Amino acid sequence: QVQLVESGGGLVQAGGSLRLSCAASGRTFSTYAVGWFRQAPGKEREFVAGIRRSGGTPYYADSVKGRFVISKDNAKTTVYLQMNTLKPEETAVYYCAASRVYYSRSVSDYDYWGRGTQVTVSS
């Protein structure tokens, strides 16, 4: 079992940047795919970015491609989400999650979740 803790959220102006961190405890990320999701008030949780279970190849939602970068540290205990050129509509709680499947964009495939970190983008 792995426990996940997100950090790095906050208030930023439109066009600004934030870097989120997801720290694992209990186990490393080496045997899990890792994903970042977000959920705005009144909306469903949606996939943002992920790293495949082996090799660490990243993949992104079309809406963030070219602006967001997901990465993993060498010790495989922390995953980052660098978010650039943020937009007000990206205001949401951002969640980190881990999955035993090779990779997935589906919420239901993820077994472990953090509590989330709030990102607010002002216009």
Side-chain angles (χ1 to χ4, degrees):
Q1 189 170 352
V2 61
Q3 292 80 43
L4 307 175
V5 178
E6 303 95 336
S7 61
L11 174 64
V12 64
Q13 288 187 333
S17 299
L18 281 175
R19 188 175 84 154
L20 306 183
S21 299
C22 173
S25 62
R27 300 191 67 173
T28 69
F29 285 125
S30 59
T31 58
Y32 295 94
V34 181
W36 281 99
F37 292 78
R38 64 189 178 193
Q39 188 167 19
K43 295 189 176 182
E44 293 188 352
R45 194 168 297 187
E46 65 174 357
F47 171 79
V48 175
I51 289 186
R52 288 173 171 80
R53 187 179 66 201
S54 60
T57 306
Y59 53 105
Y60 302 93
D62 288 342
S63 60
V64 307
K65 204 172 293 183
R67 297 186 298 118
F68 289 14
V69 177
I70 187 171
S71 61
K72 185 165 55 178
D73 71 349
N74 289 334
K76 297 182 174 63
T77 60
T78 305
V79 170
Y80 303 97
L81 183 68
Q82 177 68 42
M83 305 186 296
N84 301 318
T85 320
L86 282 160
K87 305 174 183 179
E89 56 265 36
E90 294 180 309
T91 293
V93 177
Y94 283 69
Y95 296 91
C96 172
S99 171
R100 295 186 184 92
V101 302
Y102 178 60
Y103 90 105
S104 176
R105 299 170 185 260
S106 174
V107 169
S108 61
D109 284 331
Y110 284 79
D111 307 291
Y112 305 103
W113 291 84
R115 293 188 174 186
T117 185
Q118 176 71 46
V119 171
T120 302
V121 185
S122 63
S123 57

